[in-house]
Amino acid sequence: MTLLSLPSRTDRDLYPALMSPQLNAKYPADHKAFVRIDVSLRIYWHTLFDICPELLELSGPDGMSIFRPFMAWAEEKKLAFDWSYYLWVYVWLRQSPFKERLLADDKYLRSIMAASAARWAILDRGRSRGIVIGCADTADLVIGWKCRNVRLGREIELIEPEEPLPAPSDLFGYFTLPSFELDIFPGWQSLAR
Amino acid sequence: MRLGFNFTLGDTYDMAQRLIAEGHIDYCEFLIDNFFCVDPDELAKAFDCPVGLHIMYSKFLEADRPTLVDFAARLRDYIDALNPIYVSDHILRFSHEGRAFFHLGEIDYAAEYESVRDKVVQWQEIVGQRIHFENYPSIMDGGLEAPAFFERLMKETGAGVLFDASNAVCAHRNCGTPFEAWRNVIAKAQHFHVAGYRQSLIEPFISLDTHAEALAPDTLAFLRNFRSVFDKPGATMTYERDDQIEFDDIVVDLKALRDLFGQPEETRHDLALTA
């Protein structure tokens, strides 16, 4: 095992690298710290491509032509990697060399909006029951509902409204629902970074 | 030793019912904050057995007090309705400088003891309940300090430890934390977890707490060697499975645990009364 000049006694020593392929590359590949960071990075990878496998059609099977530049961009922008993780991937894709292919088929956007709605329903611990996500690229809405019954999981709905809501001022917007009904439109909130 | 199963979402409801009906488990452990939108009375009627409440996302080391007070108010409704055997939570990091980890981080036990202790005291006070905190499946060498940390934490806060045996096995394999170092923690703990783990995909291999495999031989050996320290009146052990959820495979592991610990002496009713 290579001697390591970077601090690596505790997990905390590695926190900044756990979401950074660039920082991981500074650790020798035969060191436990490298493997621990690799484990963390793989989960960001799988969280993206296991849930949105269509994106691999754009990138190729290892996903790296999307994953590495996106993670570097996310680091620069200090993205929080909250439930909106997937939406930010779309924001990045839209300004990447993949833009034309991305916009040529709305399956990518649908998958990404559904993934973010599901992630909100999984992770949010506030009192809201549901989230509605809208995008300036489509009139469709995606709703994520938290678990409402002991026999059910989270539920994701795609809505094609007869009367479209106004488009969000940013590329994406969202609002949350205090009950298990879509009966309000309080206006769009912008994504937090 | 009572055996339980972790119930995290509705898709394993029928399987959990079958595990109860066939006597493979004696209680269920709800990952309770996944069910915060389900009526507490409905949840109380979900299973005809005692329950434990395991918290995943309180983030009590990172969240502000108003957020924790609101979380605790909702948790309290479930504690009151379900009268759980125990309430448990995690000591770990969910984020760094405002950016979320997808593979959660271990704290620095030496550097952070005082601040974690104070937050444990505050969190128990807000919930109004003794909470049992789970140990981390350490990877880096800071994990050597975990046993002394948890021992001191129990002593100074009155908190319990939800001792995860397979996390201790991972820590042993990854950073050499001796099983013997956990003896006092195990002796004082009443509530336990156990699950499968797997190796990392690249070398040097590390062991990862994945909840997707059968119990490993060294996990069963650890339980066997410390059997008398684990087993005690009121003790519970939750078998966790979050992926590769196959009824027959789970039953094989539960039977191995039954063989190891024997049939529980208390009935389900007795277990509920120990809450």
Side-chain angles (χ1 to χ4, degrees):
Chain A
M1 187 181 291
T2 309
L3 283 173
L4 183 59
S5 56
L6 296 163
S8 64
R9 188 184 69 82
T10 68
D11 211 42
R12 190 168 77 156
D13 291 328
L14 308 179
Y15 286 174
L18 293 183
M19 52 191 83
S20 171
Q22 296 97 311
L23 289 178
N24 193 28
K26 295 185 176 180
Y27 291 81
D30 62 349
H31 196 282
K32 183 167 68 172
F34 180 93
V35 182
R36 191 276 179 263
I37 298 165
D38 181 77
V39 166
S40 172
L41 290 170
R42 281 175 194 273
I43 297 182
Y44 291 96
W45 189 101
H46 283 287
T47 300
L48 179 58
F49 293 112
D50 289 0
I51 308 301
C52 302
E54 307 84 358
L55 297 179
L56 293 172
E57 296 167 15
L58 300 176
S59 64
D62 73 357
M64 285 303 175
S65 61
I66 290 176
F67 185 69
R68 282 183 181 277
F70 168 71
M71 292 298 279
W73 181 79
E75 189 170 346
E76 190 186 306
K77 302 283 183 194
K78 303 288 180 205
L79 295 187
F81 287 149
D82 60 7
W83 61 269
S84 61
Y85 175 60
Y86 302 91
L87 303 182
W88 287 107
V89 171
Y90 187 86
V91 172
W92 178 82
L93 285 167
R94 230 169 154 274
Q95 48 139 61
S96 78
F98 300 107
K99 179 179 178 182
E100 275 188 32
R101 291 165 63 201
L102 177 81
L103 297 178
D105 192 332
D106 64 3
K107 69 179 177 183
Y108 302 113
L109 179 57
R110 286 186 182 205
S111 172
I112 271 175
M113 290 170 72
S116 260
R119 194 150 181 88
W120 178 88
I122 290 165
L123 294 180
D124 185 80
R125 290 301 185 261
R127 289 182 179 261
S128 299
R129 272 30 181 175
I131 189 168
V132 182
I133 299 174
C135 178
D137 282 352
T138 178
D140 296 347
L141 305 173
V142 172
I143 311 180
W145 300 108
K146 292 178 184 173
C147 170
R148 70 177 92 185
N149 180 300
V150 75
R151 292 172 176 268
L152 298 175
R154 296 93 179 181
E155 294 166 287
I156 307 302
E157 278 185 71
L158 174 73
I159 305 270
E160 298 174 3
E162 287 177 14
E163 290 182 35
L165 294 180
S169 55
D170 298 329
L171 181 57
F172 288 104
Y174 76 95
F175 58 94
T176 57
L177 299 167
S179 70
F180 285 110
E181 299 289 336
L182 174 54
D183 53 4
I184 57 168
F185 174 57
W188 295 111
Q189 292 190 56
S190 297
L191 300 183
R193 284 199 169 158
Chain B
M1 179 69 73
R2 271 65 188 155
L3 299 181
F5 181 72
N6 68 321
F7 181 67
T8 60
L9 268 186
D11 48 9
T12 58
Y13 180 78
D14 290 339
M15 193 186 72
Q17 289 286 30
R18 188 175 165 199
L19 290 171
I20 297 163
E22 295 183 8
H24 299 297
I25 57 172
D26 310 298
Y27 70 98
C28 263
E29 182 190 271
F30 282 99
L31 204 161
I32 189 60
D33 39 323
N34 270 355
F35 297 96
F36 270 2
C37 294
V38 180
D39 181 73
D41 292 331
E42 181 193 329
L43 218 53
K45 292 173 191 159
F47 297 114
D48 182 25
C49 67
V51 298
L53 301 186
H54 194 46
I55 302 165
M56 189 65 233
Y57 286 109
S58 72
K59 304 183 185 178
F60 78 96
L61 293 179
E62 297 164 45
D64 59 28
R65 188 176 176 95
T67 302
L68 290 175
V69 167
D70 186 60
F71 188 103
R74 285 175 287 155
L75 175 64
R76 195 70 237 173
D77 290 342
Y78 294 92
I79 293 171
D80 292 344
L82 277 75
N83 187 27
I85 311 163
Y86 59 86
V87 177
S88 55
D89 202 335
H90 298 80
I91 289 181
L92 38 72
R93 286 285 166 192
F94 292 86
S95 65
H96 174 62
E97 296 181 344
R99 307 186 70 210
F101 293 136
F102 286 8
H103 187 274
L104 303 176
E106 183 172 35
I107 65 162
D108 182 333
Y109 297 107
E112 296 183 75
Y113 177 75
E114 280 80 11
S115 73
V116 172
R117 177 198 59 203
D118 293 349
K119 290 192 170 175
V120 162
V121 168
Q122 180 196 52
W123 183 220
Q124 291 191 120
E125 174 257 315
I126 292 172
V127 176
Q129 173 91 26
R130 186 182 191 217
I131 300 174
H132 302 258
F133 293 94
E134 181 175 339
N135 53 305
Y136 187 91
S138 304
I139 298 171
M140 305 310 293
D141 292 352
L144 286 163
E145 293 146 17
F149 170 94
F150 280 99
E151 207 172 330
R152 187 177 170 198
L153 189 74
M154 280 196 285
K155 193 174 168 187
E156 295 187 1
T157 66
V161 171
L162 177 81
F163 183 74
D164 189 311
S166 38
N167 284 359
V169 171
C170 289
H172 176 69
R173 296 168 66 92
N174 293 334
C175 56
T177 309
F179 293 130
E180 192 59 37
W182 289 108
R183 180 176 290 274
N184 290 341
V185 172
I186 301 167
K188 287 179 183 147
Q190 277 212 308
H191 305 297
F192 304 100
H193 273 182
V194 71
Y197 65 82
R198 71 161 173 82
Q199 281 193 329
S200 59
L201 295 175
I202 59 171
E203 295 184 73
F205 292 124
I206 56 175
S207 297
L208 303 167
D209 174 46
T210 46
H211 303 176
E213 297 79 13
L215 295 178
D218 55 355
T219 301
L220 289 166
F222 173 40
L223 297 178
R224 194 174 303 112
N225 293 339
F226 282 73
R227 182 189 175 287
S228 63
V229 193
F230 279 99
D231 205 3
K232 53 186 75 80
T236 67
M237 182 169 281
T238 304
Y239 177 84
E240 293 186 288
R241 191 79 167 217
D242 296 323
D243 205 355
Q244 307 295 317
I245 301 172
E246 299 294 338
F247 181 83
D248 291 344
D249 295 345
I250 290 167
V251 167
V252 166
D253 276 347
L254 289 169
K255 281 183 174 169
L257 294 171
R258 279 276 196 243
D259 288 346
L260 207 153
F261 288 108
Q263 283 294 328
E265 291 171 9
E266 294 139 300
T267 65
R268 284 185 203 158
H269 177 65
D270 294 331
L271 185 61
L273 292 179
T274 65

